[in-house]
Amino acid sequence: VSTAPSTTTVVINNDVDKDVPPSPTQTSAREIDLGVKEVKVLSKGDAQNGPLYRVSIMNKGPMNLDKPTRVAVISINDGKPSTETPRMIETVKSLNVGETVELDMRLPVSANTFPMLLVAVETPESFKDANEQDNVAQGEVAQLPLAMAAVK
């Protein structure tokens, strides 16, 4: 999966808890550096199930992420998602500096016919991302590595 060009805009349309307004001391942007570290295929889709992907998101710092943020996996045909393209959205509640979180995300069966995948991690309100280039990655599904089963 390669990093997408900076012209790609992904809108994630699920609400995250916004019940608590920021305090006056939290209104200035705090800097983090979230990035899509890796995407692997856990299982390819079939007639009953859509494809299952393991998405790794890393916080490269300099601050801990202490607010929820969303990660989206979107199937695409031509490099641009639409409202009809299959997608899955998960929430990461927090992520400390240097930590990586792995999310297993299954797309619907309708995703089986899409040749491309786009993965995006948002920057929550009150945060500034030091490198937004690595917040979005896209590539051909056929080129993604298969996750190896753990040997017992």
Side-chain angles (χ1 to χ4, degrees), residues 38-45 52-54 141-149:
E38 185 176 46
V39 180
K40 291 184 177 180
V41 177
L42 290 180
S43 67
K44 295 181 179 184
L52 178 63
Y53 299 102
R54 176 161 292 155
V141 171
Q143 299 298 315
L144 290 174
L146 289 173
M148 302 303 291

Side-chain angles (χ1 to χ4, degrees), residues 55-131:
V55 177
S56 299
I57 304 295
M58 182 174 192
N59 181 359
K60 295 177 273 183
M63 298 185 76
N64 292 336
L65 173 67
D66 58 2
K67 288 193 171 207
T69 190
R70 294 169 293 199
V71 177
V73 174
I74 305 168
S75 293
I76 52 178
N77 276 322
D78 59 3
K80 296 179 183 165
S82 72
T83 56
E84 292 82 35
T85 55
R87 65 193 67 221
M88 174 64 177
I89 298 170
E90 291 282 344
T91 300
V92 174
K93 296 195 185 298
S94 64
L95 193 59
N96 291 329
V97 173
E99 288 185 347
T100 299
V101 64
E102 290 183 337
L103 305 168
D104 291 352
M105 302 176 72
R106 184 177 298 278
L107 288 169
V109 173
S110 59
N112 291 339
T113 61
F114 287 79
M116 303 279 292
L117 190 71
L118 182 129
V119 177
V121 58
E122 76 173 351
T123 303
E125 287 184 33
S126 80
F127 283 91
K128 177 185 182 308
D129 199 293
N131 176 15

Side-chain angles (χ1 to χ4, degrees), residues 3-75:
T3 302
S6 61
T7 57
T8 301
T9 301
V10 176
V11 177
I12 301 173
N13 291 323
N14 282 357
D15 288 332
V16 170
D17 289 338
K18 295 180 182 175
D19 296 339
V20 181
S23 68
T25 59
Q26 293 177 324
T27 54
S28 60
R30 298 179 288 164
E31 190 170 289
I32 56 174
D33 187 5
L34 300 178
V36 178
K37 182 178 176 183
E38 185 176 46
V39 180
K40 291 184 177 180
V41 177
L42 290 180
S43 67
K44 295 181 179 184
D46 57 31
Q48 289 81 31
N49 297 297
L52 178 63
Y53 299 102
R54 176 161 292 155
V55 177
S56 299
I57 304 295
M58 182 174 192
N59 181 359
K60 295 177 273 183
M63 298 185 76
N64 292 336
L65 173 67
D66 58 2
K67 288 193 171 207
T69 190
R70 294 169 293 199
V71 177
V73 174
I74 305 168
S75 293

